[in-house]
Amino acid sequence: MTQARKILIVDDDALSSALLAEFLQEQGFATTVLMNGLHVEPAVRRADPAVVLLDVSLPGLDGIEVCHQLRRFSTVPIIMVSGRTEEIDRTLGLEVGADDYVCKPYGFREIAARIKAQLRRSEGRVGARSVMHGFRIDDSARRIAFEDHWLPLTSQEYRLLRKLLTRPGHVFTREELMDLADDEPLPRAGSERAVDSHVKNLRRKLEAARGEGAAIVSVYGVGYRFDPELSAVR
C-alpha cells in the first residue's frame, strides 16, 4: 500500500487549519498542523513533508522568514498563503524561494489542486540524465547538479534553468519563460516580475556553486540567455 504523502500546514487559524487538514486527509494526504513559525524548521527536518503550506502571518517567526530558513537546506515545495493581496507580498515570497502564492480566502479544492500540481512537478516522471556545460540534469528526479553538487532549486528555478541550459546563447523572452515561472495566468507586469525574481535567485545559487558567476545574461527589453563562456553576470 502506497504511503500517504505528508502535507505540513502552517497557520495560526486553528479552525481553518483543522478543516483544511480534514479535507486533505479525505483526499488521501497525511497532514500535520503547526501554528508557530519557530516550530517549522525542526518539523521539516524531522518529518520531510512532500509540500509545506505556509501562512505569511505567524507568531514566533513570520512566513517570509520561515521560507528563507527552509531554503537554506530544503527544496520542499512551499505554497505561501496570505490575506494580503499586494503584489509586493507575492514578489517577496517568490524571491525567498516560495513555489506558489495563494491569497485568502481560498477554496479547499483550489489548495488541493495546487498541492497536486507541486507534487507532479517535484516528483516528475522517469526521464533521461544528461550533462551540459558542467551541469548534470536528472529529469526523473527534476534536479540539477553542478560538478556533482545538487543545486537547492525550487521547482520553478529547476524549470527555468533547464530551459536556459537546453539552448546556450539563445535569448529566451520573458513571455517564453512566464509559463515556467507561474502556476496560473498573471497580469503581464506581475508575471515578468515573477520571472525576474526567480532569475535573481538562480543567479545567486549558481554563483555560489560555480564560484565564477552565474552566466545568466540579461538582454535588455527582451529576456535572458545562458552563456557558459561568461564568468560574470551581465
Side-chain angles (χ1 to χ4, degrees), residues 2-57:
T2 303
Q3 185 176 9
R5 285 165 291 188
K6 294 174 283 188
I7 310 299
L8 179 60
I9 301 169
V10 188
D11 194 325
D12 63 346
D13 185 332
L15 177 59
S16 176
S17 297
L19 292 173
L20 176 59
E22 182 179 356
F23 177 81
L24 292 177
Q25 289 166 15
E26 292 171 354
Q27 299 293 305
F29 297 107
T31 61
T32 300
V33 175
L34 296 177
M35 293 187 286
N36 190 301
L38 294 173
H39 301 158
V40 180
E41 180 182 358
V44 171
R45 289 185 183 276
R46 180 178 63 253
D48 190 25
V51 173
V52 176
L53 189 64
L54 179 63
D55 194 20
V56 170
S57 299

Side-chain angles (χ1 to χ4, degrees), residues 15-188:
L15 177 59
S16 176
S17 297
L19 292 173
L20 176 59
E22 182 179 356
F23 177 81
L24 292 177
Q25 289 166 15
E26 292 171 354
Q27 299 293 305
F29 297 107
T31 61
T32 300
V33 175
L34 296 177
M35 293 187 286
N36 190 301
L38 294 173
H39 301 158
V40 180
E41 180 182 358
V44 171
R45 289 185 183 276
R46 180 178 63 253
D48 190 25
V51 173
V52 176
L53 189 64
L54 179 63
D55 194 20
V56 170
S57 299
L58 293 168
L61 196 65
D62 70 49
I64 297 295
E65 287 300 319
V66 171
C67 186
H68 183 68
Q69 193 178 61
L70 295 182
R71 283 295 173 250
R72 292 173 183 164
F73 69 93
S74 175
T75 60
V76 61
I78 299 173
I79 302 174
M80 298 205 75
V81 179
S82 176
R84 301 189 296 227
T85 58
E86 290 85 352
E87 185 178 305
I88 189 171
D89 294 320
R90 175 188 174 91
T91 302
L92 182 58
L94 295 173
E95 285 181 344
V96 296
D99 297 279
D100 198 1
Y101 194 101
V102 184
C103 291
K104 294 180 178 180
Y106 54 75
F108 289 170
R109 292 189 181 279
E110 177 190 3
I111 292 296
R114 288 174 181 267
I115 287 172
K116 291 173 183 177
Q118 291 301 325
L119 287 171
R120 286 194 297 271
R121 292 188 177 100
S122 64
E123 293 169 356
R125 296 188 177 88
V126 176
R129 294 190 179 192
S130 55
V131 177
M132 301 177 184
H133 311 291
F135 292 89
R136 181 155 54 97
I137 301 172
D138 185 350
D139 285 329
S140 63
R142 299 182 70 81
R143 58 182 183 170
I144 298 174
F146 181 73
E147 295 183 347
D148 296 325
H149 296 286
W150 295 111
L151 301 172
L153 304 178
T154 66
S155 59
Q156 282 90 345
E157 291 164 4
Y158 162 80
R159 286 181 285 157
L160 285 170
L161 181 57
R162 180 74 171 83
K163 186 80 169 179
L164 291 166
L165 288 174
T166 57
R167 298 181 66 184
H170 175 79
V171 179
F172 290 94
T173 67
R174 284 182 172 82
E175 287 83 356
E176 290 176 297
L177 298 175
M178 281 179 194
D179 289 341
L180 300 176
D182 288 298
D183 296 316
E184 61 180 25
L186 290 172
R188 177 184 172 85

